[in-house]
Amino acid sequence: MKYMLLMNHGQVAGVPPMSEWAPEEVQAHGAAMMAIHQELAANGELVGAEGLAGPDAAKIVTHDGAGAPVVTDGPFPESKEFLAGYWLVDVESEERAIEIAARTSAAPGPGGRAVGKEIQVRPVMHASPDAEL
Amino acid sequence: MTAAPSIEDLLRDLAPHVLGAVARRYGNFDDAEDAVQEALLAAAQQWPADGLPDSPYGWLVTVTGRRMSDQLGSEQARRRREGLAAIADSSGARPPVPEHDDSLQLLFLCCHPELTPGSAIPLTLRAVGGLSTAEIARAFLVPEATMAQRISRAKQRIRESEAPFAMPSGGEWPNRLRSVLHVLYLMFNEGYAATTGPRVARGDLSAEAIRLTRMLHASLPDDPEVTGLLALMLLNEARRPARTGPAGELVRLADQDRSRWDRRSIAEGVALVSAALPSGAVGEYQLQAAIAALHDEARSAEETDWPQILALYGFLDRMTANPMVTLNRAVAVAMVDGPAAGLDLLDGIAEQLAGHHRLDAVRAHLLEMAGDDDAAIAHYRAAARRTTSLAERDYLTSRATRVGARASRSTTG
């Protein structure tokens, strides 16, 4: 079963932005994330993962199909709803996807405390049916 | 793959025998499995150009042994290799009749209960089925590196559990065989209903599961559940051509064009399940096959022997205590005793299956039968929101629309 785990850009209430963390706190956070990544890769559970550049580097494009496309640059008022990154995993069960999300959420922040970032766990649709109807 | 189909088939038939021989000789399944893969690849490249060696089996054993020596890099390994080469030279033009049933031993090892199905299926496809990691990765729509890692982890688990490369002991046998059947059943279902586009590869998984189950059946022709599983696969596979419409949309059993069903598969499946059932040791695969046979033998949906199907689901439900079986029994109950009786049965499992899209889908279907269109639409839509299958979502959505259109016609007309 494939799941996409999504992390948004927004801050958690009570946790300062990463730019204000001590260098060793940033390092510990990165190490925890890397350990999860390596475990998923070693298990053959990791299909893909990417981190995205922040909203400042984003453009929003719309096109009505007739005139020129409309390209909007930041800053964007709802920047906390921007995707920060994703993991695409292929795992045995939903429980396992939730376990990975929980560990990602609990990666340490300032003072070594879990950041508690919100992780969305989204099943990936598949083409074929599960059973005959 | 550059190999002609016949060479590819030959290689895949030989793969478990070569692996069995080498793994037994070196006492090392893990490395032997890698070495066989390399030998298969070398054969697939060389044989089409150079022609078949006198003894394809001997050639593969020799080349595999050489790879093993390269890997182990020891004097001891070199001596073993020379020993293997001598065996290969004396093995003649035909593969010798294997002393041990290698494919059976390998199935028991790869479908070990210690492994999750997600690891056991790829490992079985590679070690017993002779598929390459790239082919398996394509079938599961994951990168090759991901699949390589999953297979390597599975082998590591087997090594750690010290599962012997040998037949399980008498007391362990039924449990281990159950695990093999379960893995093959899940492998078949992975490829279920696949027809076009990216689904072709998944369709191959069903074909692979049938091939491996045939192999198992050849080893254990008198086991009724093995026979039952093979029958079940053939009877379901027979309906594949009719299961999707021209645009790839799902066609439910009742609406399928039965002239497109594969009569040869049906005949074989019916013969197998008819032979297995009288043995007395009735199991869940035989029961499922018997139900599939009743569907396949009905010339039209109306002529389906629902009372018989209901009786079989009754046995199956008692045997498995699986709410998904109860769901199917509810449909049979509705066909025999009317939709109200089916809906009553659903109430009993509603708590267990709360939030599962199949519960909503079956409830919607029975409500539609009962003429309660508004409730049917609501449940079709709930099921469509909950399923993770695109094909099912489209089917359920269109079903809701169709019931809605019928309802508005009957109120205005």
Side-chain angles (χ1 to χ4, degrees):
Chain A
M1 278 167 275
K2 292 200 184 85
Y3 290 87
M4 195 173 260
L5 314 187
L6 303 169
M7 184 190 270
N8 274 355
H9 192 74
Q11 294 295 317
V12 179
V15 179
M18 203 184 267
S19 55
E20 294 170 20
W21 297 5
E24 57 274 17
E25 289 168 345
V26 174
Q27 203 180 15
H29 184 83
M33 293 301 223
M34 186 50 78
I36 296 170
H37 188 97
Q38 281 168 349
E39 180 192 312
L40 296 176
N43 286 344
E45 293 177 313
L46 187 66
V47 178
E50 298 290 352
L52 305 181
D56 292 351
K59 292 181 181 359
I60 291 179
V61 180
T62 54
H63 190 203
D64 63 5
V70 179
V71 180
T72 314
D73 287 314
F76 302 101
E78 296 299 323
S79 71
K80 65 176 183 298
E81 286 171 15
F82 274 68
L83 193 63
Y86 72 84
W87 295 259
L88 183 58
V89 295
D90 187 9
V91 291
E92 210 72 48
S93 63
E94 188 185 63
E95 288 71 31
R96 172 65 180 153
I98 289 171
E99 182 195 331
I100 296 164
R103 277 171 52 196
T104 306
S105 176
R113 287 183 302 276
V115 174
K117 226 166 152 58
E118 202 171 88
I119 308 290
Q120 283 183 22
V121 177
R122 307 281 301 273
V124 174
M125 299 288 281
H126 51 94
S128 52
D130 297 316
E132 190 152 24
L133 302 159
Chain B
M1 276 288 162
T2 51
S6 59
I7 288 182
E8 199 179 304
D9 290 348
L10 174 65
L11 285 174
R12 298 189 49 208
D13 286 342
L14 289 173
H17 300 293
V18 175
L19 176 53
V22 176
R24 207 171 10 258
R25 209 164 292 271
Y26 283 80
N28 181 338
F29 166 75
D30 193 354
D31 292 337
E33 207 276 324
D34 284 331
V36 169
Q37 278 285 322
E38 290 180 39
L40 291 174
L41 190 65
Q45 285 165 352
Q46 289 175 33
W47 293 2
D50 303 347
L52 281 187
D54 290 340
S55 166
Y57 172 80
W59 191 99
L60 287 168
V61 169
T62 306
V63 172
T64 304
R66 209 173 287 149
R67 307 272 167 183
M68 287 294 279
S69 314
D70 291 349
Q71 281 168 23
L72 302 171
S74 67
E75 175 64 16
Q76 198 183 18
R78 193 184 59 78
R79 272 190 264 120
R80 281 200 187 117
R81 185 190 75 204
E82 285 166 2
L84 281 173
I87 293 161
D89 288 342
S90 64
S91 63
R94 301 277 311 152
V97 178
E99 218 178 300
H100 306 262
D101 194 335
D102 296 311
S103 55
L104 190 58
Q105 285 194 17
L106 284 171
L107 272 175
F108 275 115
L109 191 68
C110 296
C111 304
H112 198 278
E114 281 278 310
L115 296 180
T116 60
S119 323
I121 292 174
L123 181 60
T124 303
L125 287 167
R126 212 174 97 128
V128 195
L131 287 179
S132 71
T133 305
E135 288 168 319
I136 300 164
R138 268 202 301 280
F140 284 88
L141 308 173
V142 299
E144 189 177 342
T146 301
M147 190 48 79
Q149 207 49 48
R150 200 176 298 175
I151 290 170
S152 138
R153 191 45 71 89
K155 290 200 288 188
Q156 192 185 327
R157 265 199 92 96
I158 286 185
R159 199 169 52 221
E160 283 162 3
S161 76
E162 293 178 50
F165 178 62
M167 289 297 179
S169 63
E172 218 191 331
W173 176 276
N175 187 31
R176 295 287 295 275
L177 180 59
R178 201 158 38 239
S179 163
V180 169
L181 293 175
H182 185 59
V183 167
L184 293 173
Y185 175 72
L186 293 178
M187 185 190 294
F188 178 81
N189 285 344
E190 281 286 334
Y192 195 77
T195 44
T196 52
R199 300 177 225 174
V200 167
R202 297 181 76 76
D204 290 346
L205 284 180
S206 295
E208 231 6 79
I210 290 174
R211 195 178 83 90
L212 294 173
T213 307
R214 275 192 196 286
M215 198 187 265
L216 179 62
H217 178 60
S219 297
L220 303 172
D222 298 326
D223 186 287
E225 275 294 84
V226 174
T227 309
L229 179 60
L230 180 57
L232 173 63
M233 289 179 180
L234 291 168
L235 291 165
N236 277 331
E237 189 66 7
R239 298 198 294 266
R240 180 188 296 276
R243 210 175 280 147
T244 41
E249 76 277 16
L250 277 186
V251 181
R252 61 178 187 170
L253 186 52
D255 299 331
Q256 287 175 16
D257 175 359
R258 292 173 186 234
S259 70
R260 296 176 66 200
W261 289 358
D262 178 351
R263 292 286 144 198
R264 245 181 37 191
S265 287
I266 292 174
E268 189 186 355
V270 167
L272 284 166
V273 70
S274 307
L277 280 169
S279 75
V282 174
E284 55 178 306
Y285 296 116
Q286 293 166 76
L287 287 173
Q288 287 189 63
I291 292 166
L294 287 168
H295 282 302
D296 287 9
E297 286 179 312
R299 274 173 300 175
S300 66
E302 294 70 33
E303 287 171 78
T304 307
D305 188 350
W306 284 107
Q308 182 79 5
I309 290 174
L310 177 55
L312 290 167
Y313 269 125
F315 287 127
L316 194 57
D317 210 356
R318 274 198 295 280
M319 190 177 287
T320 62
N322 177 349
M324 300 306 277
V325 172
T326 314
L327 267 186
N328 290 326
R329 183 157 74 88
V331 175
V333 166
M335 297 306 287
V336 175
D337 298 324
L343 286 164
D344 280 348
L345 188 53
L346 289 187
D347 289 340
I349 50 169
E351 206 170 312
Q352 261 177 295
L353 289 180
H356 197 293
H357 75 276
R358 289 271 298 145
L359 176 66
D360 281 305
V362 170
R363 198 186 284 282
H365 175 58
L366 301 190
L367 287 164
E368 186 188 341
M369 274 176 79
D372 188 347
D373 290 339
D374 289 344
I377 292 167
H379 284 282
Y380 276 129
R381 288 193 180 140
R385 282 195 303 274
R386 283 173 175 155
T387 181
T388 57
S389 157
L390 290 162
E392 283 185 23
R393 186 192 63 188
D394 293 349
Y395 166 82
L396 292 161
T397 307
S398 74
R399 202 79 212 159
T401 310
R402 195 178 300 192
V403 176
R406 193 188 63 188
S408 66
R409 255 202 322 278
S410 62
T411 49
T412 54

